[in-house]
Amino acid sequence: MNRKFVVFLYRHFLHSQRQEGGLWWFWMVALPIVPLAAYMCLGFLKILPHQEGIPRHLYIVIGVTGWLLFTDAILQPGNSIGRFKDYFVRDEVSISGLLGAWLPERSVALGLQILFCLSLVAWDFPLLAIQVLSFVALLLLGFAVFYSFGQVAAILGLVSPSLANLLTVSIRFLIFLSGVVFPLPAAEALDPIRVINPFYVFIDASRNALIGMPFDLVPLAVWCGVGLTVTLFLRWRLGRLTPYLRNYLF
Amino acid sequence: MTSLRAQNLVKRYAISSASRRDVLRREILRNWFGLRVANKQVRYREAVRGVTFEVAKGESLAFIGRNGAGKSTILKLVMGILTADEGRLEVSGAVGGLIELGAGLDVSKSGEENVIDRAGLLGIDDDRLQEFLGSIEDFAELGDQFYDPVGTYSSGMKARLGFAIAVMLPFDIMICDEALSVGDARFAAKCLAKVNELKKDRIFLFVSHSMAMVQRFCDRGIVLDKGVAVFSGDVTEAVAYYEDNILNRGDDTPKIIDFDRAYESEPAPVASRSFLEPLLFNTEKVTEWHAEVGVDRGIDIAWSINLTSVRSSPDVQYRLGFPVFGGDGTMQFGCAHENVRQTDTEVLSGKLVIPRHGLHPGVYYVVISLFEGMEPILRQLVKEIRISSTGMPYFGSYSVDHSWILGNGEGKQDA
């Protein structure tokens, strides 16, 4: 994305935050943490079963942090087209700039969520630097994979609004099959989900990396491979759609 | 180096949103997966058809035409908002300007913040930004409201800010689409002066329905008709061509007419117009009538009317009038005589001389109207006349006879 455009978007975001009034800085920090705190309550209420080696509330907070990051990567590129299309009239904003225009604004919230998650875990757990680095690296890797899917979904969602709706609905249900707030049941029938559901793969791997437990590298590598393929494909072919997308949007 | 070159530009619009979606779907399949899908349901409208032009730095070009002629589409192509379906467009230099007044302004931000945003996107550094901020603030004349949210501005204030940003920021190719048609006269004059000052360093593309504005701002003109460039040349000639061949044409068919011959072409055949109704011819009172209209700077009408009898009543007056209607049905003026029969005769005849009509370019309708006392006995369309453009700007509805006395009076000139 164009550097000038990124600076502009950050500036735009700060401006809109300041419009919120005197406590804008407080809400800018507090609001992204609220969903994590709300899910954390589920852990303290002991509604969910105890997990070996990790307190319930930390299990949930780590899972939700990854979940919010990954679902944003999938859903936000589509929303970005509607929100930022006015900037797409400029030559300096490319199609990838349009699809990623939401990133500067959301990066603040997502960054705060990751920091909150890490501080919470560090409070209860002795964390090694390698664990933190692995956790962040896996989150970013997962983000890159889901973002590549999100870009494809955003473009296809324009020509098929049903696809965009289907994606939103699917994600609502997938939270229960991704080990976000509770682990997948040990039933054999659910084993394929541990591989074919990329949300599960990345959330489980990042959580285990953070608390120093082993995780399965094979599905992770497979999904990274898929993500890399899609990313390279987009790098090669996305720009070709620029004139057609402009004609469609304007 | 700043330049702009377009060759055989073609731009098609899919007519409905469903059609636009079909086009995008087809292009995704073709560009992403190499699949070619024929979609016969897509319906297109060609907004621009084979337009070619070239503009160099220091030149100003106007696109002239009716609504839907393709003017704004060409500007959008130049700005990069749209992409041509066929042809070649080479744009060298930063393009900016006003496609719509106030467009692109963020209403939640102040005028100052909007300027900072625009400058940031153009990559202007902080030192130069301060310079631009000052000049834009001065030019827009918004006072302290420059620091208030744009949402609180009136439309005129938004126009001033939008125009100030467009002229002050360092664009190489400046675009103005009806941008000067709003705002008070003083600000419009200021804009005109500023554009004239900037013209020599930039390419200036202008679209307006005001031919006076077009001639003030531009050196050259391209007349567009249904997406086709039908004339290209000096702006005065372009305006004349537009006013003569397109503005007053009734049909919707684009015609490419040789400019020189356009002035020699015959007026269109007399057409019936509802606003001329009721047309009547009382055969019990009038046997025949004839009128010949000559048009130059003035209008001469030689007329004769044969009545059925010498006298219906000795005291009855015959009122004759020649109203002249414009193409929109508005009566432009009328000349009436309260009694054209001075002696007992069956034939009424005479000549009406209007030394200078003052009509602006367009199509007009001369009607003959005869009353016997209070009773209308003849009302017929005499002739459709066509006033050609001289290419000079016209103001208001008529040109009136006038003269200028300049200085000590020695420079008196009749207009």
Side-chain angles (χ1 to χ4, degrees), chain B residues 5-66:
Chain B
R5 185 177 298 137
Q7 205 165 13
N8 290 319
L9 281 188
V10 174
K11 178 65 197 165
R12 300 183 192 94
Y13 287 118
I15 287 171
S16 66
S17 58
S19 294
R20 285 206 304 276
R21 188 173 291 149
D22 284 341
V23 172
L24 183 61
R25 183 181 295 129
R26 196 177 58 193
E27 294 304 332
I28 288 172
L29 290 171
R30 188 170 68 83
N31 284 283
W32 278 14
F33 308 111
L35 299 173
R36 290 190 182 274
V37 181
N39 193 337
K40 291 178 183 173
Q41 289 179 337
V42 177
R43 288 167 56 222
Y44 291 101
R45 178 175 68 81
E46 278 195 333
V48 175
R49 294 191 269 169
V51 172
T52 297
F53 62 90
E54 191 172 345
V55 200
K57 184 176 168 181
E59 287 187 319
S60 47
L61 175 66
F63 292 98
I64 305 166
R66 283 175 162 178

Side-chain angles (χ1 to χ4, degrees), chain B residues 322-336:
Chain B
F322 287 97
V324 176
F325 292 88
D328 62 353
T330 310
M331 191 198 287
Q332 305 295 311
F333 59 80
C335 299

Side-chain angles (χ1 to χ4, degrees), chain A residues 182-217:
Chain A
F182 53 80
L184 278 182
E188 200 174 308
L190 292 176
D191 277 352
I193 289 176
R194 295 174 209 280
V195 177
I196 63 169
N197 179 1
F199 287 107
Y200 180 85
V201 172
F202 282 98
I203 289 170
D204 188 61
S206 58
R207 184 190 288 121
N208 287 342
L210 186 60
I211 59 174
M213 289 170 69
F215 53 90
D216 195 352
L217 280 172

Side-chain angles (χ1 to χ4, degrees), chain B residues 45-183:
Chain B
R45 178 175 68 81
E46 278 195 333
V48 175
R49 294 191 269 169
V51 172
T52 297
F53 62 90
E54 191 172 345
V55 200
K57 184 176 168 181
E59 287 187 319
S60 47
L61 175 66
F63 292 98
I64 305 166
R66 283 175 162 178
N67 290 332
K71 311 180 292 292
S72 297
T73 300
I74 290 179
L75 296 191
K76 285 178 181 173
L77 288 168
V78 172
M79 283 195 92
I81 296 172
L82 299 174
T83 311
D85 293 302
E86 288 175 31
R88 190 178 173 85
L89 180 65
E90 294 169 23
V91 181
S92 304
V95 185
L98 298 167
I99 288 286
E100 282 172 37
L101 268 178
L105 295 175
D106 186 332
V107 292
S108 75
K109 293 182 181 177
S110 67
E112 183 193 34
E113 287 165 326
N114 270 284
V115 174
I116 292 169
D117 282 353
R118 292 282 185 93
L121 284 170
L122 283 170
I124 293 169
D125 59 46
D126 285 350
D127 292 341
R128 287 173 70 211
L129 172 64
Q130 291 310 315
E131 195 183 308
F132 285 123
L133 267 176
S135 56
I136 289 170
E137 186 180 358
D138 289 346
F139 192 87
E141 297 177 9
L142 295 171
D144 288 342
Q145 283 195 272
F146 185 58
Y147 304 97
D148 292 340
V150 171
T152 63
Y153 289 12
S154 67
S155 56
M157 290 164 76
K158 283 180 194 162
R160 275 191 265 167
L161 178 62
F163 194 85
I165 291 173
V167 294
M168 291 299 177
L169 290 180
F171 298 116
D172 300 310
I173 299 171
M174 194 179 156
I175 277 170
C176 243
D177 188 352
E178 289 291 358
L180 300 169
S181 56
V182 296

